[in-house]
Amino acid sequence: MRVELLTVGDELLLGDTINGNAAWLGRRLADHGVDVTRSVVVGDETDVIVEAVTAALGRADAVITTGGLGPTYDDLTRDALAAAAGVPLVRDPELERRLRERAAAAGREVREMALRMADVPQGAGLLRNSSGSAPGLRVELPGGVVYALPGVPFEMRTIMDEVVLPELAGPPEVARRTLRTAGLWESVLAVRLAEIEAMDGVRLAYLPQPAEVRVRVTVAGAGTDVWDRLGHVEKRIRELLGSAVYGVEDETLDRVVHRLLTQRSATAAAAESLTGGQIGAELTAMPGSSTTFAGGVVAYSTDLKRDLLGVPGDLLAEHGAVHPDVAAAMAEGVRDRLGATYGIAVTGVAGPERQDGHAVGTVYIGVAGPGNTRIVTQPKLPVPGPGPETRDVIRRMTVVHALDQLRRALLGLAADPAAELARDDREESG
Amino acid sequence: MRVELLTVGDELLLGDTINGNAAWLGRRLADHGVDVTRSVVVGDETDVIVEAVTAALGRADAVITTGGLGPTYDDLTRDALAAAAGVPLVRDPELERRLRERAAAAGREVREMALRMADVPQGAGLLRNSSGSAPGLRVELPGGVVYALPGVPFEMRTIMDEVVLPELAGPPEVARRTLRTAGLWESVLAVRLAEIEAMDGVRLAYLPQPAEVRVRVTVAGAGTDVWDRLGHVEKRIRELLGSAVYGVEDETLDRVVHRLLTQRSATAAAAESLTGGQIGAELTAMPGSSTTFAGGVVAYSTDLKRDLLGVPGDLLAEHGAVHPDVAAAMAEGVRDRLGATYGIAVTGVAGPERQDGHAVGTVYIGVAGPGNTRIVTQPKLPVPGPGPETRDVIRRMTVVHALDQLRRALLGLAADPAAELARDDREESG
């Protein structure tokens, strides 16, 4: 089964909107063993949409369109699909009734323009939309089938999961899993995983983000065997990468930390400088985080590191704010003052300017726990020259490193995953 | 001049990477008056890339490709362009020399695979890359010209700005500007801007994000007149929308607030609950924010609102943490304790569960300034049913509303832009 995606909307060509729908659809379909072979974006023009749908069905078995189903006159997907099928648009009385009811419930007349949403290509199927007012459409064309979904991500996803995927996806012919790693560079991963790359029918893809790398494993085959084989491959990868693997699929670092804290009935508190609050924001992203996150202090200025966190004034006077002992004192201070089980702290230089003689990218992380306090020096960035994104990247890397160090402390792991692997290798060969 | 984009990479079809490059290119080209008429994503297959490039040049004058120029064997854009042009790949001695030098400088042998980056289609031009090691390529084909750029965003952007845009973009035939608004719903904007929509040769696009809407104005015409006309249109829009317009183009709310604070030699401090640190993260995004941001307190638990921010215990006991007076006390507390000119505070319910009898989406914002303290109730969300994104959206809306209220306080504006507009309308008609 080959599927192409067609996203409709001038705003995407102009770059006002990033095509998140296509990425979501690609991932969803891949997870169900359906290959997306091409993804096309066109503007709001009926002729162009007709041509793009027809060309796509010349190559693929099905096309999923998103966008162009709304009420305004630049919503042209309905018109294009009717033209491609050579049928007129007809008004669906049931859809019209629902639109009128909705307007009445809101105490207003329905606008004529809004009723366009009740027009469907003659003979088209309606795809139930349990999240919104306009359904998706299913149109059979000579070359294959078109599923037309709304551009609103929430509605698109609902229709996809509830209606389209069950129709499109047979039993998968490949098994895929994404392992999430933190703390090891991509090149280190690639060297360690060379034996996996060499296996027949196994493919690895490295998906780097600041300070973390997702490793996507694909195993070809059929039936339940393929999942067994994937299980074996995953087990071997985990042996090779050790504790650098922190989760699978959508299991982000903040979720892992939230789970570990919950299991231990523990709480965390954050003391931040260069990250400005991003660590706290991550630790409160999960529902229910009020049970695991006590609170935080953003001590951006040196004075506040003393006043709010109790970092000794002479330490700051002697070394400035960017120093390993300051990170440790911040972590202990926030743990103590907020009454949390763990304190996590960061201090460093996000740039663009050097600070107190320290290079951009110099960052120290402190983790204070029930037994002890650890200090970690963040590995220096391969900074892509001074650029507008450097500051953002350093802040993001610092957040990831900090969460990962909290995870490692919670699990009783050594701070450096590479050192741990080197030790394992020595033991294995010795 | 019609340009199509071709993004190459399996990771995009699989949805592991969102196509941010295409969005950036679309925006950049639109700003220079060049229309992107289509954007296509294909996987790492030579034949498919050849076919896609050829088809694109059947419709457009130029194609910009991104991706597939790296050293690994799934980097196939070079091979595809050579095949499309009917020429062999030849090794460029100067590029080879540079790759060997780079490897030597890092103290290692160059790998044979890496030397692929020195192969170029015979006759192709090299596009200078001042940010990285591999240049872009310029290949003339019968239907038009192909600019092949690397997929690494930083390098792609550099080559685009330094080499490709000056070549592609003539004087613009349309003038575009994006006005950024906060605090008014899209439907309110559309009603107020009906007279602009009705103007000849003027188009408006509404680009909504949580709690803010960007309004993109396009004026057709030629020469310098079109920019004069855009200036007039912009002036009228600003009259109609009043202080809801906070900036233009890339001028985000955090930048505006940073600028206003700098001009006043003032500082801000943030007291956050449901946003967990995101307001502080925004206020420290700009380089130089250490002069305008004092610090912050994330008081996620009720006890910490009392202990760290001095919110009266009886107030919390009587009303709980989600109350307008608590927002005010938090703002005054953080202003006072951190010695800032302004204190900004938020308290509310991000969900997914109700809290102390308050509905999800209930949020109070407090702004404490030199003269007074203001409390604002965040407008209730049109929440799209309880869903996985609701919590994120409410948190994001709260950040935007808080920054906007800080802006309005700094400018001495009323808290509610809609009320202000209603008053202006009465005065105009009276």
Side-chain angles (χ1 to χ4, degrees), chain A residues 135-152:
Chain A
L137 301 173
R138 184 186 198 287
V139 179
E140 302 271 359
L141 293 178
V145 59
V146 181
Y147 299 92
L149 307 181
V152 180

PDB file of all heavy atoms in Angstrom, chain A residues 135-152:
ATOM      1  N   PRO A 135     -17.281  16.880   8.701  1.00  0.00           N
ATOM      2  CA  PRO A 135     -16.696  15.545   8.540  1.00  0.00           C
ATOM      3  C   PRO A 135     -15.600  15.567   7.476  1.00  0.00           C
ATOM      4  O   PRO A 135     -15.486  16.519   6.714  1.00  0.00           O
ATOM      5  CB  PRO A 135     -17.873  14.711   8.057  1.00  0.00           C
ATOM      6  CG  PRO A 135     -18.708  15.667   7.283  1.00  0.00           C
ATOM      7  CD  PRO A 135     -18.548  17.008   7.953  1.00  0.00           C
ATOM      8  N   GLY A 136     -14.796  14.515   7.435  1.00  0.00           N
ATOM      9  CA  GLY A 136     -13.909  14.325   6.312  1.00  0.00           C
ATOM     10  C   GLY A 136     -14.664  13.682   5.160  1.00  0.00           C
ATOM     11  O   GLY A 136     -15.826  13.297   5.297  1.00  0.00           O
ATOM     12  N   LEU A 137     -14.011  13.571   4.005  1.00  0.00           N
ATOM     13  CA  LEU A 137     -14.656  12.997   2.825  1.00  0.00           C
ATOM     14  C   LEU A 137     -13.836  11.828   2.296  1.00  0.00           C
ATOM     15  O   LEU A 137     -12.611  11.825   2.379  1.00  0.00           O
ATOM     16  CB  LEU A 137     -14.767  14.052   1.720  1.00  0.00           C
ATOM     17  CG  LEU A 137     -15.547  15.325   2.066  1.00  0.00           C
ATOM     18  CD1 LEU A 137     -15.413  16.337   0.926  1.00  0.00           C
ATOM     19  CD2 LEU A 137     -17.013  14.982   2.316  1.00  0.00           C
ATOM     20  N   ARG A 138     -14.559  10.851   1.739  1.00  0.00           N
ATOM     21  CA  ARG A 138     -13.899   9.729   1.083  1.00  0.00           C
ATOM     22  C   ARG A 138     -14.397   9.710  -0.349  1.00  0.00           C
ATOM     23  O   ARG A 138     -15.586   9.514  -0.596  1.00  0.00           O
ATOM     24  CB  ARG A 138     -14.298   8.437   1.807  1.00  0.00           C
ATOM     25  CG  ARG A 138     -13.629   7.178   1.305  1.00  0.00           C
ATOM     26  CD  ARG A 138     -14.222   5.957   2.018  1.00  0.00           C
ATOM     27  NE  ARG A 138     -13.380   4.789   1.917  1.00  0.00           N
ATOM     28  CZ  ARG A 138     -13.212   4.065   0.816  1.00  0.00           C
ATOM     29  NH1 ARG A 138     -13.854   4.399  -0.283  1.00  0.00           N
ATOM     30  NH2 ARG A 138     -12.420   3.013   0.825  1.00  0.00           N
ATOM     31  N   VAL A 139     -13.489   9.951  -1.306  1.00  0.00           N
ATOM     32  CA  VAL A 139     -13.886  10.048  -2.712  1.00  0.00           C
ATOM     33  C   VAL A 139     -13.127   8.993  -3.515  1.00  0.00           C
ATOM     34  O   VAL A 139     -11.894   8.945  -3.469  1.00  0.00           O
ATOM     35  CB  VAL A 139     -13.579  11.455  -3.272  1.00  0.00           C
ATOM     36  CG1 VAL A 139     -13.966  11.552  -4.741  1.00  0.00           C
ATOM     37  CG2 VAL A 139     -14.322  12.518  -2.465  1.00  0.00           C
ATOM     38  N   GLU A 140     -13.868   8.142  -4.231  1.00  0.00           N
ATOM     39  CA  GLU A 140     -13.239   7.122  -5.084  1.00  0.00           C
ATOM     40  C   GLU A 140     -12.961   7.727  -6.454  1.00  0.00           C
ATOM     41  O   GLU A 140     -13.880   8.232  -7.117  1.00  0.00           O
ATOM     42  CB  GLU A 140     -14.186   5.922  -5.272  1.00  0.00           C
ATOM     43  CG  GLU A 140     -14.612   5.238  -3.997  1.00  0.00           C
ATOM     44  CD  GLU A 140     -13.653   4.123  -3.592  1.00  0.00           C
ATOM     45  OE1 GLU A 140     -12.677   3.891  -4.340  1.00  0.00           O
ATOM     46  OE2 GLU A 140     -13.881   3.515  -2.530  1.00  0.00           O
ATOM     47  N   LEU A 141     -11.716   7.677  -6.892  1.00  0.00           N
ATOM     48  CA  LEU A 141     -11.366   8.146  -8.226  1.00  0.00           C
ATOM     49  C   LEU A 141     -10.802   6.955  -9.006  1.00  0.00           C
ATOM     50  O   LEU A 141     -10.482   5.925  -8.401  1.00  0.00           O
ATOM     51  CB  LEU A 141     -10.326   9.262  -8.140  1.00  0.00           C
ATOM     52  CG  LEU A 141     -10.823  10.566  -7.510  1.00  0.00           C
ATOM     53  CD1 LEU A 141      -9.706  11.588  -7.430  1.00  0.00           C
ATOM     54  CD2 LEU A 141     -11.983  11.135  -8.328  1.00  0.00           C
ATOM     55  N   PRO A 142     -10.682   7.069 -10.339  1.00  0.00           N
ATOM     56  CA  PRO A 142     -10.189   5.936 -11.117  1.00  0.00           C
ATOM     57  C   PRO A 142      -8.854   5.376 -10.588  1.00  0.00           C
ATOM     58  O   PRO A 142      -8.663   4.163 -10.505  1.00  0.00           O
ATOM     59  CB  PRO A 142     -10.011   6.522 -12.518  1.00  0.00           C
ATOM     60  CG  PRO A 142     -10.991   7.642 -12.585  1.00  0.00           C
ATOM     61  CD  PRO A 142     -11.097   8.190 -11.191  1.00  0.00           C
ATOM     62  N   GLY A 143      -7.936   6.226 -10.186  1.00  0.00           N
ATOM     63  CA  GLY A 143      -6.616   5.738  -9.765  1.00  0.00           C
ATOM     64  C   GLY A 143      -6.536   5.247  -8.337  1.00  0.00           C
ATOM     65  O   GLY A 143      -5.543   4.654  -7.931  1.00  0.00           O
ATOM     66  N   GLY A 144      -7.569   5.500  -7.538  1.00  0.00           N
ATOM     67  CA  GLY A 144      -7.500   5.115  -6.136  1.00  0.00           C
ATOM     68  C   GLY A 144      -8.462   5.953  -5.302  1.00  0.00           C
ATOM     69  O   GLY A 144      -9.370   6.584  -5.821  1.00  0.00           O
ATOM     70  N   VAL A 145      -8.218   5.985  -3.992  1.00  0.00           N
ATOM     71  CA  VAL A 145      -9.155   6.640  -3.099  1.00  0.00           C
ATOM     72  C   VAL A 145      -8.502   7.873  -2.468  1.00  0.00           C
ATOM     73  O   VAL A 145      -7.300   7.884  -2.195  1.00  0.00           O
ATOM     74  CB  VAL A 145      -9.645   5.653  -2.006  1.00  0.00           C
ATOM     75  CG1 VAL A 145      -8.471   5.125  -1.197  1.00  0.00           C
ATOM     76  CG2 VAL A 145     -10.672   6.290  -1.101  1.00  0.00           C
ATOM     77  N   VAL A 146      -9.319   8.917  -2.303  1.00  0.00           N
ATOM     78  CA  VAL A 146      -8.853  10.137  -1.641  1.00  0.00           C
ATOM     79  C   VAL A 146      -9.560  10.272  -0.309  1.00  0.00           C
ATOM     80  O   VAL A 146     -10.795  10.206  -0.256  1.00  0.00           O
ATOM     81  CB  VAL A 146      -9.154  11.391  -2.499  1.00  0.00           C
ATOM     82  CG1 VAL A 146      -8.625  12.644  -1.796  1.00  0.00           C
ATOM     83  CG2 VAL A 146      -8.557  11.254  -3.878  1.00  0.00           C
ATOM     84  N   TYR A 147      -8.784  10.436   0.757  1.00  0.00           N
ATOM     85  CA  TYR A 147      -9.345  10.792   2.054  1.00  0.00           C
ATOM     86  C   TYR A 147      -9.062  12.273   2.283  1.00  0.00           C
ATOM     87  O   TYR A 147      -7.899  12.672   2.347  1.00  0.00           O
ATOM     88  CB  TYR A 147      -8.692   9.977   3.176  1.00  0.00           C
ATOM     89  CG  TYR A 147      -8.892   8.493   3.047  1.00  0.00           C
ATOM     90  CD1 TYR A 147      -7.966   7.695   2.392  1.00  0.00           C
ATOM     91  CD2 TYR A 147     -10.025   7.891   3.580  1.00  0.00           C
ATOM     92  CE1 TYR A 147      -8.153   6.332   2.268  1.00  0.00           C
ATOM     93  CE2 TYR A 147     -10.224   6.520   3.463  1.00  0.00           C
ATOM     94  CZ  TYR A 147      -9.283   5.754   2.809  1.00  0.00           C
ATOM     95  OH  TYR A 147      -9.480   4.400   2.689  1.00  0.00           O
ATOM     96  N   ALA A 148     -10.124  13.075   2.370  1.00  0.00           N
ATOM     97  CA  ALA A 148      -9.940  14.515   2.571  1.00  0.00           C
ATOM     98  C   ALA A 148     -10.243  14.850   4.021  1.00  0.00           C
ATOM     99  O   ALA A 148     -11.356  14.628   4.504  1.00  0.00           O
ATOM    100  CB  ALA A 148     -10.866  15.297   1.633  1.00  0.00           C
ATOM    101  N   LEU A 149      -9.229  15.360   4.730  1.00  0.00           N
ATOM    102  CA  LEU A 149      -9.370  15.656   6.152  1.00  0.00           C
ATOM    103  C   LEU A 149      -9.230  17.160   6.389  1.00  0.00           C
ATOM    104  O   LEU A 149      -8.556  17.843   5.625  1.00  0.00           O
ATOM    105  CB  LEU A 149      -8.290  14.909   6.947  1.00  0.00           C
ATOM    106  CG  LEU A 149      -8.187  13.400   6.709  1.00  0.00           C
ATOM    107  CD1 LEU A 149      -7.098  12.803   7.587  1.00  0.00           C
ATOM    108  CD2 LEU A 149      -9.520  12.723   6.988  1.00  0.00           C
ATOM    109  N   PRO A 150      -9.851  17.665   7.453  1.00  0.00           N
ATOM    110  CA  PRO A 150      -9.697  19.090   7.762  1.00  0.00           C
ATOM    111  C   PRO A 150      -8.257  19.411   8.165  1.00  0.00           C
ATOM    112  O   PRO A 150      -7.500  18.519   8.561  1.00  0.00           O
ATOM    113  CB  PRO A 150     -10.655  19.314   8.945  1.00  0.00           C
ATOM    114  CG  PRO A 150     -10.969  17.970   9.486  1.00  0.00           C
ATOM    115  CD  PRO A 150     -10.719  16.968   8.412  1.00  0.00           C
ATOM    116  N   GLY A 151      -7.886  20.677   8.074  1.00  0.00           N
ATOM    117  CA  GLY A 151      -6.527  21.088   8.413  1.00  0.00           C
ATOM    118  C   GLY A 151      -6.318  21.309   9.904  1.00  0.00           C
ATOM    119  O   GLY A 151      -5.179  21.318  10.373  1.00  0.00           O
ATOM    120  N   VAL A 152      -7.395  21.475  10.661  1.00  0.00           N
ATOM    121  CA  VAL A 152      -7.273  21.668  12.111  1.00  0.00           C
ATOM    122  C   VAL A 152      -6.673  20.396  12.708  1.00  0.00           C
ATOM    123  O   VAL A 152      -7.282  19.327  12.604  1.00  0.00           O
ATOM    124  CB  VAL A 152      -8.655  21.944  12.741  1.00  0.00           C
ATOM    125  CG1 VAL A 152      -8.521  22.146  14.247  1.00  0.00           C
ATOM    126  CG2 VAL A 152      -9.319  23.125  12.075  1.00  0.00           C
TER     127      VAL A 152
END
